[in-house]
Amino acid sequence: MTYHPKSEFMATIMERGFLADCTDYQGLDEALSKGMVTAYIGYDATAQSLHVGHLLNVMLLRWFQKTGHRPVTLMGGGTTKVGDPSFRAEERPLLTPDQIGANIAGMQAVFARYLDYGTETAGGNAALMLDNAEWLDGLNYLDFLRDIGRHFSVNRMLSFESVKSRLDREQSLSFLEFNYMILQAYDFLELHRRYDCLLQMGGSDQWGNIVNGIDLTRRVLESEIYGLTTPLLTTSDGRKMGKSAGGAIWLNSEMLSPYEFWQFWRNTTDADTGRFLKLYTEVPLNECARLGALGGSEINEAKIVLANEVTTLLHGASAARAAEATAREVFEKGGAGGDLPTLTLSADEIGAGISVVQLIVRSGLAASGKEAKRLIADNGARLDDAPLTDAGRMITAGDLATPIKLSAGRKRHAMVALG
């Protein structure tokens, strides 16, 4: 990409590695240079919390606001009732309105850490939190078909990769899901009409949906609007960003402790450290480059900077300091670590005894009993820093008179205590 941007936002995201594609680089850049622009990213409420996979685009919205523009977080109270089929092998489970409402509440708490929704401190570009149920729930089906549906070509919809890949594998695509891209396109139309929204952003898997919205708005309102996508990130070893042996890396502290979140970033591979500093922190670019280029044991200090900066943005500086102190105690001094994630069991749960394999799974150090047994067989498990070699070992209430520490490898730990 050889385009040289004039706007601060475009220059920032291109330098830091956020930009995958754009429908019109020059047109968008000129609009951004003329004054405040409104842009949105949509989030369907499919879980109680956002996870690390969402964090790239949350940071994109943050940079958008920091460079003087107005970000919109669009909650999918309406579209979640349908479910985005993009690049999925099967239909999403349908959620009740109460489940959707609870999920939205959990997600909103995270956005408030990154974006300024208040008018006093944000000035004229205070972020907006909207819900597409506001305009989707009351749609009249026949009117919607006549006014909006007529602008969509089924032939073209079938050609989008997200749909095509599903059909090529002969996996069912319900009519309900097929409507999703029309509803998302309608979101862009409504946001432009109501809030003069000029830009939709999202992951590169949303390219087809974004282009649909641009085409629809041009046809209905004859307006010029834009789309921009971020890359779908994988780690240097090929894993999808945000996945770990213990499951998703959630952003809500009730679902994943600040210490575990910090530890996820501390365990970044050497090759990814500089890139992740650019994407997930506000550390100046020259410092990101310097830290990313460190070699040997020095790269570990760069990873601590990464972990501290990302954790501070989400959970606050005190949580980041506490996580670092716990990590240093556990790994450098061999301490028990009071802030480690803790599994608390009642005497009734333990009964005559509970297997150490079950404890490893329940504490989040392994995804299954089979994985826990393999960890023990491969000499990767430790109990109170001593090798754990017996997968049949039972832990009694007496063993938990003082909390015990379980470890998976050298970097992942959990406490088990009697409540």
Side-chain angles (χ1 to χ4, degrees):
M1 177 62 205
T2 55
Y3 182 74
H4 298 291
K6 295 179 289 186
S7 66
E8 185 184 358
F9 175 69
M10 288 290 276
T12 298
I13 66 167
M14 290 174 74
E15 288 171 342
R16 298 188 82 96
F18 282 90
L19 188 57
D21 214 339
C22 180
T23 55
D24 181 356
Y25 289 92
Q26 187 168 349
L28 174 59
D29 191 36
E30 288 177 359
L32 291 162
S33 299
K34 289 176 183 174
M36 189 183 74
V37 167
T38 299
Y40 88 98
I41 298 180
Y43 296 86
D44 279 344
T46 53
Q48 292 176 303
S49 169
L50 298 172
H51 56 71
V52 161
H54 294 111
L55 196 50
L56 183 74
N57 283 332
V58 175
M59 287 298 294
L60 182 68
L61 287 171
R62 183 175 171 88
W63 281 113
F64 194 70
Q65 186 170 43
K66 283 172 71 75
T67 53
H69 302 285
R70 180 169 70 162
V72 174
T73 43
L74 181 66
M75 299 288 96
T79 42
T80 305
K81 296 171 184 173
V82 175
D84 185 0
S86 297
F87 301 99
R88 287 184 62 85
E90 56 191 24
E91 189 171 345
R92 292 180 185 272
L94 295 179
L95 302 177
T96 67
D98 286 346
Q99 287 173 314
I100 292 171
N103 288 350
I104 287 176
M107 294 164 66
Q108 287 174 335
V110 170
F111 287 118
R113 297 289 312 182
Y114 291 89
L115 302 174
D116 190 346
Y117 292 92
T119 52
E120 289 183 15
T121 50
N125 68 326
L128 295 177
M129 174 78 70
L130 303 173
D131 187 339
N132 61 19
E134 184 181 335
W135 51 82
L136 294 181
D137 279 3
L139 285 176
N140 179 294
Y141 187 60
L142 290 179
D143 289 346
F144 185 72
L145 286 179
R146 284 172 59 89
D147 298 340
I148 303 301
R150 65 190 179 91
H151 294 294
F152 288 84
S153 160
V154 171
N155 308 58
R156 187 159 181 268
M157 290 166 73
L158 289 171
S159 72
F160 283 117
E161 189 59 36
S162 58
V163 173
K164 194 165 171 286
S165 61
R166 183 97 157 253
L167 298 178
D168 286 348
R169 295 193 300 267
E170 298 184 0
Q171 289 162 333
S172 174
L173 179 72
S174 72
F175 180 68
L176 176 72
E177 294 175 287
F178 194 56
N179 276 274
Y180 184 90
M181 64 178 76
I182 300 178
L183 295 178
Q184 185 171 328
Y186 185 67
D187 281 345
F188 203 173
L189 171 66
E190 279 295 318
L191 286 168
H192 180 67
R193 183 154 41 198
R194 295 173 183 228
Y195 300 95
D196 194 28
C197 185
L198 288 186
L199 172 64
Q200 182 183 358
M201 304 188 290
S204 57
D205 60 333
Q206 294 299 312
W207 180 257
N209 290 332
I210 291 172
V211 169
N212 266 335
I214 292 171
D215 289 346
L216 176 64
T217 305
R218 282 175 180 163
R219 289 170 186 267
V220 175
L221 299 179
E222 298 182 351
S223 296
E224 191 66 33
I225 57 177
Y226 308 95
L228 181 155
T229 59
T230 54
L232 289 181
L233 281 193
T234 55
T235 56
S236 59
D237 54 7
R239 289 180 293 116
K240 190 174 179 181
M241 182 62 190
K243 297 294 183 184
S244 75
I249 304 301
W250 300 108
L251 303 188
N252 284 52
S253 58
E254 300 81 22
M255 297 176 68
L256 188 82
S257 71
Y259 172 80
E260 291 172 289
F261 182 77
W262 188 95
Q263 197 62 48
F264 169 79
W265 295 100
R266 170 61 182 81
N267 291 339
T268 297
T269 61
D270 294 1
D272 290 323
T273 303
R275 181 170 60 129
F276 287 179
L277 279 163
K278 289 181 184 179
L279 292 170
Y280 296 106
T281 80
E282 294 169 351
V283 172
L285 283 169
N286 57 351
E287 181 66 0
C288 292
R290 186 190 72 80
L291 289 168
L294 293 174
S297 61
E298 288 186 332
I299 193 70
N300 290 328
E301 289 306 311
K303 294 177 187 181
I304 289 172
V305 171
L306 172 65
N308 283 340
E309 292 287 333
V310 182
T311 305
T312 295
L313 281 172
L314 178 60
H315 295 298
S318 60
R321 285 193 298 269
E324 182 183 357
T326 298
R328 291 194 186 278
E329 180 186 350
V330 171
F331 305 128
E332 295 175 11
K333 302 174 186 174
D339 289 335
L340 284 176
T342 300
L343 171 66
T344 303
L345 302 173
S346 67
D348 288 342
E349 285 180 281
I350 298 168
I354 186 169
S355 75
V356 73
V357 166
Q358 192 177 347
L359 291 181
I360 290 172
V361 174
R362 289 187 59 180
S363 61
L365 297 176
S368 65
K370 185 176 179 181
E371 185 180 313
K373 289 176 182 176
R374 185 165 61 246
L375 183 71
I376 293 169
D378 292 342
N379 298 314
R382 299 176 80 83
L383 174 60
D384 285 336
D385 297 322
L388 178 60
T389 56
D390 180 8
R393 179 165 176 176
M394 302 297 288
I395 302 296
T396 66
D399 294 325
L400 294 174
T402 57
I404 62 172
K405 183 172 80 167
L406 291 173
S407 304
R410 290 185 297 115
K411 296 181 179 180
R412 296 174 55 237
H413 308 269
M415 303 300 293
V416 181
L418 185 62

